[in-house]
Every structure is written in structure tokens, then in C-alpha cells.
């Protein structure tokens, strides 16, 4: 198996700590979110972003990305498209395309 195949397989499967962090998010999405009106300022929603970040980047880096996204969720930040970055960076890169496209 080549290294790129292994990286692809590992990226699709969260580690044990990330899996534990995903449990409350999945509980929120199943039990609480259906009863609330959709009000997220970003696409994808914050919970979908957190699931993808934890699955793609693991517990430490993915948790950092999810927390950083939650801190941006407020009236002081313009809404729009904010996908999970392909490669991890401590600095936030502004998305190129607005949500209206």
C-alpha cells in the first residue's frame, strides 16, 4: 500500500479521541437541531463543519478548527461559505467565494 492510499484511508476514519468528541455533536444533530429553526450564518453549518474538521484533521487540529469557527459565529463576522481547509493551518484563510454563488 502506498503512503497516499494510507493517508486517504486514515483521513476518512476519525481517531478514538475525535470519535468521542463527535458523540455530542451527533447527539445535537439528532435530538436538538431538528427542533430549532435553521439559523447558521455559514455554509456548511457549524455542526457539519465540526464533524468534517474532526474527521479530516483529528481531535487536536480539528477541535481547534471547530472552536475557531464557533468563535466566528456572531453578528461581527460576515456570513458566507466557509469550508473546512484541505490542509491544516493555524491562520485562517478567507474563503474566495460568497454563499450567493
Amino acid at each position: 500500500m502506498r503512503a497516499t492510499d494510507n493517508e486517504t484511508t486514515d483521513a476518512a476514519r476519525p481517531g478514538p479521541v475525535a470519535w468521542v468528541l463527535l458523540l455530542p455533536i451527533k447527539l445535537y444533530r439528532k435530538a436538538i437541531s431538528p427542533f430549532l429553526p435553521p439559523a447558521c450564518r455559514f455554509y456548511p453549518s457549524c455542526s457539519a463543519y465540526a464533524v468534517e474538521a474532526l474527521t479530516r484533521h483529528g481531535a487536536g487540529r480539528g477541535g481547534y478548527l471547530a472552536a475557531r469557527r464557533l468563535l466566528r459565529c456572531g453578528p461581527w463576522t460576515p456570513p458566507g461559505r466557509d469550508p473546512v481547509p484541505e490542509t491544516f493551518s493555524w491562520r485562517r484563510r478567507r474563503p474566495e467565494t460568497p454563499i450567493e454563488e
Side-chain angles (χ1 to χ4, degrees):
M1 181 183 296
R2 295 180 310 179
T4 56
D5 292 340
N6 191 21
E7 290 171 5
T8 305
T9 306
D10 290 342
R13 192 177 327 145
V17 177
W19 187 81
V20 169
L21 293 174
L22 286 169
L23 288 176
I25 297 169
K26 290 182 179 186
L27 176 68
Y28 165 78
R29 292 178 83 183
K30 295 276 187 186
I32 299 170
S33 182
F35 300 107
L36 299 174
C40 193
R41 301 174 51 84
F42 297 107
Y43 178 82
S45 68
C46 292
S47 61
Y49 185 95
V51 168
E52 187 176 350
L54 288 167
T55 303
R56 183 181 294 174
H57 296 292
R61 293 176 178 170
Y64 169 76
L65 290 172
R68 189 173 71 184
R69 167 72 177 270
L70 288 173
L71 290 174
R72 282 195 318 267
C73 191
W76 53 87
T77 306
R81 181 177 292 254
D82 185 22
V84 176
E86 293 291 325
T87 58
F88 177 79
S89 173
W90 290 104
R91 297 183 63 195
R92 179 176 180 260
R93 291 181 215 127
R94 236 172 228 277
E96 305 295 325
T97 58
I99 196 167
E100 289 84 26
E101 290 184 5

